[in-house]
Amino acid sequence: MVTLRPGPVTIGGVTLKNHLILAAGILGTTGASLDRMLRMGAGGVVTKSIGPEPKDGHAGPCLVVLNGGILNAMGLPNPSRDFVSEIETLAKKPVIVSIYGGTPEEFAMVAEWFKGTAAGIELNLSCPHAEGYGSALGTDPDLVTSCTRAVSRLGMPTWIKLTPNVTDITAIGKAAEEGGASAIVAINTVKAMRISTGLKRPVLGNRFGGLSGKPIFPIAVRCVYELYEACKVPIIGCGGISTAKDVVEMMMAGASAVQIGSAVHADVRIFETITKSLYSANGVPADGIIGCAHD
Ligand code: RRO
């Protein structure tokens, strides 16, 4: 397998220690855990999504581990503005704060709280099970453009995380680009559900949730591939990546970097594990393989 040249990279306005980023939501809202992941080899970390008001989240069960995947409906639990002090000690580190809101104004307000602390902002326009938030806005290209513009005009690197739960993801990618996105992240979880045959009830308290992990990797590759043909901004691939080979495949589809989420549950040292096989002193520059499957 091809290997990459090690070293820092700047993607979507954020300088990362390598191409591997911790995906949003995975280690909750604890600054110390995010810092631990940076020290354990993550090139950057994305926080849990932070919103305009504190939120408890959905009624449980909120998360089930399936064969090879995870189904969740956490419901955006977060401490809102109190999170600023939680990550103050991480200022100057590659910490990207994920935020959500119900309007462009709410996105701008939450983003402003993190000026000076966050290396960048990732807009969650893609949670599949949050009424009035996430994909409720992220499936409408006009709203995607206006929410993106409300944050990009603040001058902070602005990443937009897209939902795969649309007919044409390129229309959403182009809408983010029009709003001044510095990068797009593809994809958030795939809307899904399971039913307990014993209980004759949906397994999740919220009935519907988002599927992540290995089962969605081919969907994520397809989305990145389509976006690469339609958009000019860098694409960050996300969805079911768990090996160095997955990273290379995502890059060949068009990703400039990747985010890793569910695989952290199985192996908390996943960043070191992937780094060992992905990078070597005689590796090629990433530009040599990004999008090469389109040639
Ligand atoms: O908190 C959640 O339930 C959640 C979020 Br914010 C998201 O973006 N994606 C997801 O699968 N769950």
Side-chain angles (χ1 to χ4, degrees), residues 227-245:
L227 287 163
Y228 186 80
E229 302 212 331
C231 300
K232 290 182 190 66
V233 289
I235 302 161
I236 299 167
C238 179
I241 295 163
S242 63
T243 64
K245 190 162 167 285

Side-chain angles (χ1 to χ4, degrees), residues 110-137:
V110 178
E112 289 252 31
W113 296 342
F114 294 97
K115 252 190 162 173
T117 313
I121 298 289
E122 181 179 284
L123 273 62
N124 183 338
L125 285 163
S126 42
C127 178
H129 45 255
E131 217 173 295
Y133 299 116
S135 62
L137 288 75

Side-chain angles (χ1 to χ4, degrees), residues 140-189:
D140 176 333
D142 291 340
L143 280 173
V144 170
T145 301
S146 50
C147 291
T148 307
R149 187 166 293 131
V151 175
S152 69
R153 66 154 63 111
L154 302 175
M156 305 161 86
T158 305
W159 297 2
I160 312 301
K161 189 164 184 180
L162 306 185
T163 175
N165 305 307
V166 287
T167 310
D168 179 10
I169 197 166
T170 66
I172 310 296
K174 285 192 260 188
E177 211 166 50
E178 199 182 317
S182 324
I184 48 185
V185 182
I187 56 176
N188 205 317
T189 52

Side-chain angles (χ1 to χ4, degrees), residues 24-25 48-50 57-58 62 70-78 98 100 122 124-130 134-135 161 188-190 206 209-212:
K48 178 71 185 156
S49 297
I50 305 297
H58 290 318
C62 293
I70 297 175
L71 181 62
N72 91 86
M74 302 301 295
L76 301 127
N78 80 98
S98 169
Y100 71 87
E122 181 179 284
N124 183 338
L125 285 163
S126 42
C127 178
H129 45 255
S135 62
K161 189 164 184 180
N188 205 317
T189 52
V190 178
N206 186 59
L211 183 66
S212 61

